[in-house]
Amino acid sequence: MHRYFLGLSRAMAIAGGFVLSLLVAIVVISIVGRELNGFLHDDFMQTYMSGFANWMLDAHLPGLWGPIELGPINGDYELVEAGMAFTIFAFLPLAQITGSHASVDIFVSWLPESADRVLTMLIEILFAVVLVVVAWQLWLGTLSKMDRGQTTFLLQFPLWWPYALSVVGAVAAAVVAVYMALVRIYEVVTKRHVVPAGEGAEH
């Protein structure tokens, strides 16, 4: 059972890493294009190398939403905004199941093991409740965006697309969080150590 949820968490993290890498590439390409566009419009280039500068500026490449001109990627902010929501939720399951969340243990390091186990259980239950509520609200938001037919301003893609992607990540995070909450409850009841609490980033 634990192996299944760990595999799911790792798969979501890999998907999140892929999307994050894609977003980084979009940002870099957009910045380089914006700077090159400004450079080719500069007085020096337009005075001494106008032929080359204008040729570069007039060059068009085929793109998904029309021809691509030398400059910033059209709708780059919309793409990054849509992708980052999914990325954040995609990393949550792995952080949850490995106990990799940042933790402040200055007040609990002196607690006995039994009390620490109960506190860990309560935290896992709280995480599970919050993530289930977030996933549910995202689902309702997705349905609302679909009904209204809202689109982004520049690229005009439906707003429910990024919501739906976020729902996938949020549901995976909620499922893993509920599993971990049940594991911690079992540990408290049986006084057995089933899953390591993890080595979160301590502060």
Side-chain angles (χ1 to χ4, degrees), residues 6-197:
L6 185 59
L8 172 65
S9 302
R10 286 175 174 165
M12 289 300 301
I14 291 171
F18 175 78
V19 173
L20 182 60
S21 300
L22 189 61
L23 295 179
V24 170
I26 288 173
V27 171
V28 170
I29 293 171
S30 189
I31 291 173
V32 171
R34 183 180 290 110
E35 293 301 316
L36 281 175
N37 186 281
F39 175 71
L40 294 172
H41 277 102
D42 186 75
D43 290 340
F44 175 83
M45 292 297 294
Q46 289 297 321
T47 301
Y48 298 102
M49 302 183 67
S50 61
F52 172 74
N54 291 330
W55 175 76
M56 288 288 291
L57 290 168
D58 292 336
H60 291 74
L61 294 173
L64 186 59
W65 284 283
I68 300 174
E69 302 177 9
L70 183 61
I73 294 177
N74 185 38
D76 53 351
Y77 291 107
E78 295 176 356
L79 293 172
V80 171
E81 184 179 18
M84 279 306 299
F86 168 77
T87 300
I88 292 169
F89 284 112
F91 287 125
L92 274 177
L94 188 61
Q96 190 71 20
I97 201 168
T98 59
S100 301
H101 296 294
S103 62
V104 181
D105 64 351
I106 188 171
F107 299 111
V108 298
S109 57
W110 51 270
L111 290 175
E113 183 180 351
S114 58
D116 185 58
R117 190 175 291 160
V118 171
L119 182 61
T120 301
M121 176 193 71
L122 293 175
I123 291 172
E124 295 286 4
I125 292 173
L126 180 61
F127 261 112
V129 170
V130 170
L131 288 174
V132 167
V133 171
V134 169
W136 176 248
Q137 290 300 316
L138 275 172
W139 170 247
L140 295 179
T142 302
L143 295 178
S144 175
K145 299 299 180 186
M146 289 179 67
D147 290 340
R148 296 180 182 177
Q150 291 176 285
T151 61
T152 60
F153 180 72
L154 293 174
L155 298 180
Q156 296 292 306
F157 63 76
L159 276 178
W160 70 266
W161 289 0
Y163 270 77
L165 284 175
S166 298
V167 167
V168 173
V171 168
V175 168
V176 171
V178 169
Y179 162 73
M180 289 303 299
L182 294 174
V183 167
R184 299 309 179 197
I185 292 172
Y186 177 80
E187 289 179 343
V188 169
V189 172
T190 62
K191 295 181 174 58
R192 291 176 54 196
H193 217 43
V194 179
V195 178

